[in-house]
Amino acid sequence: MNEPNSPSPRLRIWQSWRGLGAWNYYFLLKFVLLSQGYLNFDALSNLVFAAALLFPLPSLRLHRWRQWLALPFGLALLYHDTWLPGWRSIVNQGADVAGFSMSYLLELADRFINWQWIAVGFALLVGYLFVSQWVRLTTFTVLALLWVNFSGMITPFFAHSPAATVAQNTAVAPAASTAQAAGANTVNGPPTNANLSAYLEQFYQNESRKATKFPDALPADAQPFDLLVINICSLAWSDLDAVNLASSPLWSRFDFVFSNFNSATAYSGPASIRLLRASCGQTSHHNLYQPAGEQCYLFDDLARLGFTNQLAMDHTGVFGNYIGNLRDDADMKAPLMSQAGLGYELTSFDGSPIFNDGQLFTRWLENQEKAGTARTATFFNLIPLHDGNRYVGSNKGADYHNRAQTLLNQLNTFMDQLEKSGRKVMLVVVPEHGAALVGDKMQISGLRDIPSPGITHIPVGVKFFGMQAPHASTPMKIDGPSSYMAISEMVSRAVDGKVFTSPTMDWKTFASNLPQTPLVSENENSVVMEYQGKIYIRLNGGSWVPYPS
């Protein structure tokens, strides 16, 4: 029994406030990262976590045990607050990661270490230890957490946080390019979570009604030609800018260059499926792996008109079941062109060979010349620029600039060969996605879990060989927001081959009124899109937040 003058157990509990202690440093570090846009801060979860740490316990031993037991929960919450891949993405990519070489895994691990922020963290720790001798920091931490949770107006200190940016952007007028590309999309209210979700849903509804119209049959005077689609892994405008190759002479050789083309994804398999399904509007990531109408498959459309489909790659296609995805989800049934006897200077991140692209191009051309004038449609997939590739005999990642320069030189030589051959060829160069050479606040260099605009903004070029009409002195730039359906439409306009035999070519008319596609990109667990001239992102089916700049 308690003595008459002893406090009751209930009173003793509410007298047992001990503060957050070292956890103040944890929240201080988060506030600094949040202020710079490096966190997707879950304000409510952090407030609940702080409340659990603050709940008064009469026993000092229990309080100390709680401090230690909270560590794994705090680390998990910190990871949750970052832009790093979620657990779904890690599980889904686990099999692929298991195929990485050990040297590549170590290279990736090193990229996650940001020495500048480690220095900042050390300075904050020293400041915290110094100030905490005189100031009860728990009060300020709790007030800051309440502020972030309940304040409707976030001050400029948190101007980079998602909540602040949403609050500031509620009255922005729609961008002209987005409104034009959206067509019938009528969602144009402030960027609330509901409006952004409705915009995305209406985008997919609009895209589901689009399809390229190919002729039922070719006319009797149709001219046979070769369609050659070269799909290059890891090549975006941002990558070319980073290695000073955006002004390479190669780009001036094309007849058309798309300056605002969106790959709609940041991974190879989905990118190639989207390209091979280019004859229909853009679909969601989930629907890429569902059956599509037969009119959606570009190479099937061509096969019905007498084109023989061909497939060529500079790699085995085994990693990530890439070739299996082409067969199952893109209806690419053509046999793989022989790689026997091809040399290689590079090995992939999983140790498999990457065959010489110059030799691969030459072999394709030799095969075409043996086949005569038959109509063909060939899909090339090239991966020399993929992150983690190494020169044979080296454990160090090969320099991207050198690999990119080599590939551009090989493409340039191949274009020379095509011109000399006299063959009628429509060449389309369209990368899968970028290499993410330059990271941002959401992702380190090389990480592509989130399809950011820097990764999905890719250079696309179209060139005709064997034409009678003269070429323009400079490429025609196509600046409208575009994606794969614009390529399918261009192919449909040239499918009868008459562009090759016509004495004149109206380049402007040929490229007029191509399908436009608003910027919407999607990986399995993330969606990035443009709305009213600004970029927004949704992770793991959660709420929309502005993409941090």
Side-chain angles (χ1 to χ4, degrees), residues 57-389:
L57 296 175
S59 169
L60 181 60
R61 178 179 296 180
L62 287 177
H63 171 72
R64 289 172 175 170
W65 271 108
R66 178 176 58 186
Q67 298 289 84
W68 287 103
L69 291 174
L71 277 174
F73 296 97
L75 292 173
L77 182 56
L78 176 61
Y79 189 90
H80 170 72
D81 282 339
T82 68
W83 300 108
L84 292 170
W87 66 269
R88 295 184 184 91
S89 180
I90 294 173
V91 170
N92 293 331
Q93 300 293 327
D96 290 345
V97 174
F100 292 171
S101 64
M102 181 55 66
S103 56
Y104 183 46
L105 288 172
L106 292 174
E107 181 182 326
L108 289 176
D110 180 64
R111 293 184 200 173
F112 276 94
I113 302 175
N114 187 319
W115 294 106
Q116 182 178 1
W117 274 104
I118 288 178
V120 170
F122 175 73
L124 285 174
L125 177 61
V126 172
Y128 159 73
L129 293 174
F130 181 76
V131 173
S132 63
Q133 298 178 84
W134 300 285
V135 179
R136 186 176 173 85
L137 294 176
T138 296
T139 302
F140 296 99
T141 299
V142 172
L143 288 175
L145 286 169
L146 291 172
W147 183 22
V148 174
N149 272 273
F150 300 114
S151 176
M153 297 285 295
I154 307 299
T155 64
F157 177 75
F158 290 102
H160 294 284
S161 73
T165 313
V166 167
Q168 294 167 4
N169 289 340
T170 56
V172 180
S177 61
T178 302
Q180 178 185 9
N185 202 318
T186 57
V187 179
N188 57 9
T192 62
N193 197 61
N195 282 344
L196 291 166
S197 295
Y199 177 88
L200 179 65
E201 180 63 26
Q202 196 168 81
F203 165 79
Y204 283 129
Q205 290 177 2
N206 292 339
E207 291 295 305
S208 69
R209 293 189 285 268
K210 296 180 180 180
T212 302
K213 177 61 177 175
F214 280 84
D216 295 329
L218 293 178
D221 59 347
Q223 300 295 312
F225 69 95
D226 301 310
L227 171 67
L228 181 54
V229 178
I230 299 181
N231 198 208
I232 303 172
C233 179
S234 303
L235 183 65
W237 285 114
S238 62
D239 303 319
L240 291 169
D241 287 335
V243 295
N244 299 315
L245 289 176
S247 58
S248 169
L250 175 74
W251 308 115
S252 65
R253 297 190 64 174
F254 289 99
D255 295 317
F256 301 98
V257 173
F258 288 82
S259 61
N260 195 10
F261 194 101
N262 181 41
S263 71
T265 184
Y267 284 130
S268 297
S272 295
I273 294 170
R274 289 187 183 280
L275 175 55
L276 291 170
R277 290 188 178 189
S279 294
C280 286
Q282 183 172 322
T283 186
S284 67
H285 178 87
H286 173 269
N287 286 343
L288 283 180
Y289 301 95
Q290 309 302 317
E294 61 179 15
Q295 77 280 5
C296 296
Y297 300 97
L298 173 61
F299 277 61
D300 286 358
D301 291 329
L302 295 169
R304 285 189 287 272
L305 295 174
F307 285 77
T308 300
N309 288 349
Q310 301 179 1
L311 174 64
M313 300 191 301
D314 63 2
H315 57 105
T316 63
V318 173
F319 184 83
N321 192 34
Y322 176 80
I323 196 167
N325 287 337
L326 293 189
R327 306 294 193 205
D328 298 337
D329 302 304
D331 206 34
M332 173 53 69
K333 305 302 184 186
L336 180 64
M337 190 178 82
S338 173
Q339 300 166 332
L342 295 175
Y344 63 95
E345 297 83 32
L346 289 170
T347 58
S348 182
F349 45 84
D350 64 346
S352 60
I354 301 172
F355 299 105
N356 185 288
D357 291 307
Q359 296 177 19
L360 194 67
F361 294 148
T362 299
R363 175 168 295 183
W364 176 86
L365 185 55
E366 291 173 349
N367 291 344
Q368 302 307 105
E369 291 174 342
K370 291 176 184 177
T373 59
R375 292 181 176 87
T376 66
T378 305
F379 180 77
F380 263 90
N381 186 255
L382 312 179
I383 67 165
L385 305 184
H386 195 288
D387 192 46
N389 290 347

Side-chain angles (χ1 to χ4, degrees), residues 87 91 109 138 168 340 383 399 421 430 435 438 448 470 508:
W87 66 269
V91 170
T138 296
Q168 294 167 4
I383 67 165
D399 179 70
S421 73
V430 50
V438 180
R448 293 178 283 106
K508 184 175 181 180

